[in-house]
Amino acid sequence: MNATALKKFKEPILVTRPYLPDLEEFKEGLEEIWANQWLTNNGPMLKRFQAELAEYLGIPEANMALFSNGTLALELGYYAMGLAGGDVITTPFTFVATSHALKRIGANPIFADVDPETLCLSPEAAERLITPRTKAIVPVHVYGNVCDVEGFERLREQYGVKIIYDAAHAFGVFNHGIHGRHGNDFDGKGRSIGYCGDMSMFSFHPTKLFHSCEGGLLVFKAAAIQEKLFELRNFAIHSETECVDVGSNAKMNELQALMGLECLKKIDELIDYRKRVHAAYAEVLDGCPEVKLLPHSQNKAYVPVLFKDFATRERVYAELKAQCNVFTRRYFYPLLTDFAPYVYAKGACPIAADCAARVLTLPTYYGLPLEDVKAIAEDVKEMVAG
Ligand code: T4K
């Protein structure tokens, strides 16, 4: 291969960069926090953030709860849904947090294989593993690709198992492709994808297309568990004289809520830009038989590509770093079932293992120049040519 044809960027290009809101507007919010002298524990910024999220997502405030990060949101959500001590069927093709949160409450992750198109948990594969000990299924809308929600709904009805989605990557994904605040109502049409199954979790980590520095949101169907979740995120303190369970400290603070509010102002633009980045990659890579750009995600939160084999993926990953100054990530390699806590299931999911060996996520973020995107795509194409 002729390495001189590759573009080497002067500054490193990372797989992602967080969006940072206008500093002056952020300072106005800080002044409000200073005036309030209220920094955490269900403060006014958090309440405003929750109200604005409800409007954006098209989900009533009574059906949501904010947390300090997505992992604790999952952990407390799983716990509130009664999964402790039970078997839970989930996917190995995800970030470790999906299963760590199960293990931390004493649930037992059982791994089922993924759909080769979307890389999301397959309902058919999950169904084969259901036993009387199964309390729930945890599919992941990986990269913002929507799971087969109808398939999982059938399993929920047929087997009485809970369905809890890890929607960490799916903020801004809507049923029927309709944005919440544009003509949405609460009759089940055009709401956030978070309103599927029994519960969903969105991560607001800075590596996500939308963030609050750190943060997590649970959306759930049964409004009755909101109070329990509010208590669990605050040590399970019920009143000045009552602590009713073993809770955690998972409260979102006022600075996080302010960051979330400021980023939410830009959400349509943030998603639109990712779509343009994806389209710029597609312009170069579509029709290139050695690189398959996964097309499915509605919010284009990530740009995953599949190569023909492990050796090619490893070579492209290393060469992009060394020769182009481009830092991609192998989300999600290794598979969870290759990590020590889950190695008991190694080899159980061959489709997921094959995809993990061949996948690479290319850089995408708000403001990444589209000509740089095309140059990265050309570099990739050049590396796999011949
Ligand atoms: N479920 C799923 C499916 C998830 O993907 C995640 C998180 C969770 C649950 C848990 O949600 P949280 O508890 O995180 O809310 C990153 C993130 O730390 C993690 O949030 C995310 N998934 C995962 C997919 O990716 P790393 O170890 O790859 O992150 P790191 O620090 O190497 O950052 C990646 C790139 O971003 C780097 O190139 C640098 C850049 N970056 C990062 C940060 C934090 C910045 O430019 N600025 C920043 O502030 O895990």
Side-chain angles (χ1 to χ4, degrees), residues 16-18 70-71 94-95 97 166 168-169 203 205 207-208 329 331:
T16 195
R17 300 242 78 155
T71 304
T94 180
F95 191 59
D166 180 336
H169 304 171
S203 162
H205 185 266
T207 55
K208 304 291 180 284
R329 294 303 274 267
Y331 295 133

Side-chain angles (χ1 to χ4, degrees), residues 207-227:
T207 55
K208 304 291 180 284
L209 66 82
F210 169 78
H211 74 94
S212 59
C213 286
E214 290 262 9
L217 175 72
L218 286 180
V219 166
F220 36 84
K221 287 267 175 60
I225 66 163
Q226 191 189 46
E227 195 189 333

Side-chain angles (χ1 to χ4, degrees), residues 18-20 26 40 46 49 53 66-73 95 97 201-208 210-217 249-261 263:
Y19 166 70
L20 287 170
F26 195 80
T40 186
L46 178 118
F49 186 31
L53 283 168
L66 281 159
F67 296 83
S68 51
N69 60 63
T71 304
L72 281 171
F95 191 59
M201 183 283 290
F202 294 109
S203 162
F204 298 161
H205 185 266
T207 55
K208 304 291 180 284
F210 169 78
H211 74 94
S212 59
C213 286
E214 290 262 9
L217 175 72
N249 181 356
K251 301 181 297 288
M252 175 175 277
N253 68 46
E254 292 290 279
L255 292 160
Q256 290 175 288
L258 170 61
M259 180 61 93
L261 279 164
C263 290

Side-chain angles (χ1 to χ4, degrees), residues 285-318:
L285 294 175
D286 276 0
C288 170
E290 288 89 5
V291 190
K292 183 182 173 195
L293 177 64
L294 297 184
H296 302 289
S297 148
Q298 196 188 101
N299 63 1
K300 303 291 185 269
Y302 291 81
V303 179
V305 291
L306 287 173
F307 294 96
K308 69 173 180 304
D309 55 27
F310 175 71
T312 310
R313 193 277 308 276
E314 290 294 277
R315 184 169 57 75
V316 173
Y317 170 72

Side-chain angles (χ1 to χ4, degrees), residues 15-54:
V15 71
T16 195
R17 300 242 78 155
Y19 166 70
L20 287 170
D22 182 85
L23 193 52
E24 291 310 311
E25 288 181 27
F26 195 80
K27 279 183 193 160
E28 284 172 28
L30 285 179
E31 279 164 14
E32 216 179 306
I33 293 174
W34 258 238
N36 292 337
Q37 294 200 324
W38 195 277
L39 299 182
T40 186
N41 291 32
N42 217 16
M45 280 291 170
L46 178 118
K47 286 181 183 148
R48 198 188 304 167
F49 186 31
Q50 187 178 284
E52 294 205 8
L53 283 168

Side-chain angles (χ1 to χ4, degrees), residues 6 120 157 218 262 287 290 355 372:
L6 300 175
C120 296
E157 281 167 13
L218 286 180
E262 290 301 317
E290 288 89 5
C355 294
D372 289 357

